[in-house]
Amino acid sequence: MIPPALIEDALVYANLLLMLTVGFTLTYLIAKIPNFAHGEFAGIGVYITFTVAQVWKSNPYVAVPIAFLISAFSGALIYNGVLRTLKRFGGTMISLTISTLAMQIMISALLNIYADYLYPIAGAYSRLFLFRHLDFEFMGLPGVLVVSTIFLLTLIILLHLMLTRTRFGISLRAVVEDSSLASILGVNVELACTISWMLTAGIAGIAGSLLPLWFQGHPYTGSMLLTSVFAASILGGISSIYGAMIGAYIIGLTEIFGTYLLAQTFGAQLTAYRSLIPLTILCIVLLIFPRGITGLIEDIQARRASKAMAKIRGGQG
């Protein structure tokens, strides 16, 4: 029998992971490189919540819009200040990818410095903290579960409408398909990329700001989440936003429930190896169906279409 608290853990974690994975995948589709600094936007959100709750003594949910704005600004700064500059000087995909890794290291270092700076100001330990006691309850459910679920559903609906019904969404899809052709057709590619980086970074910041309300926050939260985000994106199919949503929920639920079952079977010491679960899934996916769930579905549809065409031709013969 799985404890109800564990189900809540899994749902909250899967919700937050989905927010991060959608942003990571969209960034990859736009920039054509994995953004290794993406997890650090969540780290920024984590410490904005700490600042709001422990330094300002305010409701931790006040941190949500602040985290969005600051993380969005950071995303725009990284894209325009680093990636766009490198591309202007002929930077390759490898050099651009390495630059995001450098940004990840730099932001992580700044978060560590900020954590040490906050300690005497907040009068509380700033390197490992949890704010469950500051959360509210709604019909017996933790507030962070309710808020993250509502936000997630709203995000999925708005993202779908944006990509299919708005001029910006259509421009963004054109940039994803062929940025050079989109530019010829009059799409402001750099503006579309900047806005997309702001949106994805801002959403990651929101996920990070909600995380300390249910899970422990620390300076390396973003770095540790990136493994699961990367695995979820690959599992869903890194070329599909909707696949990323499916992959995030599978990884999120499997990571929580899998860790619990392993700990129950082999001992609590195995919880220290929780990150092996998404890494194992990542390895299996890359070895068996590297295009992920989306690619697998497309292959099945292609086989069915091929069989249908073969039957039609056989009937005509």
Side-chain angles (χ1 to χ4, degrees), residues 178-234:
D178 190 329
S179 59
S180 299
L181 181 59
S183 179
I184 293 173
L185 294 174
V187 176
N188 190 332
V189 175
E190 295 303 334
L191 178 61
C193 290
T194 300
I195 294 175
S196 67
W197 273 69
M198 291 178 69
L199 286 174
T200 55
I203 293 168
I206 290 175
S209 68
L210 295 174
L211 190 140
L213 293 170
W214 199 251
F215 301 101
Q216 287 184 331
H218 50 80
Y220 300 104
T221 297
S223 304
M224 294 178 67
L225 284 171
L226 189 62
T227 302
S228 299
V229 169
F230 192 67
S233 184
I234 295 295

Side-chain angles (χ1 to χ4, degrees), residues 6 40 47 51 56 63 71 73 103 106 128 142 156 166 199 225 229-230 265 269 277 309:
L6 189 73
E40 299 308 320
Y47 273 90
T51 303
W56 298 354
S71 297
F73 174 77
M103 289 297 100
M106 185 177 297
L128 195 64
I156 292 172
T166 67
L199 286 174
L225 284 171
V229 169
F230 192 67
T265 306
Q269 66 273 11
I277 294 177
M309 288 298 296

Side-chain angles (χ1 to χ4, degrees), residues 248-272:
Y249 243 73
I250 293 175
I251 292 290
L253 297 178
T254 304
E255 194 172 335
I256 298 296
F257 291 139
T259 303
Y260 172 77
L261 293 174
L262 288 173
Q264 290 290 310
T265 306
F266 300 104
Q269 66 273 11
L270 281 183
T271 56

Side-chain angles (χ1 to χ4, degrees), residues 12 15-16 19 143-153 210:
V12 172
N15 285 350
L16 301 181
M19 296 182 205
V144 66
L145 175 58
V146 176
V147 171
S148 63
T149 301
I150 293 173
F151 178 81
L152 193 59
L153 294 174
L210 295 174

Side-chain angles (χ1 to χ4, degrees), residues 36 39 51 55 71 74 95-96 142 190 209 233 242 248 255 267-268 288 292 308:
F36 287 103
T51 303
V55 179
S71 297
S74 301
S95 63
L96 293 175
E190 295 303 334
S209 68
S233 184
Y242 302 106
E255 194 172 335
I288 299 177

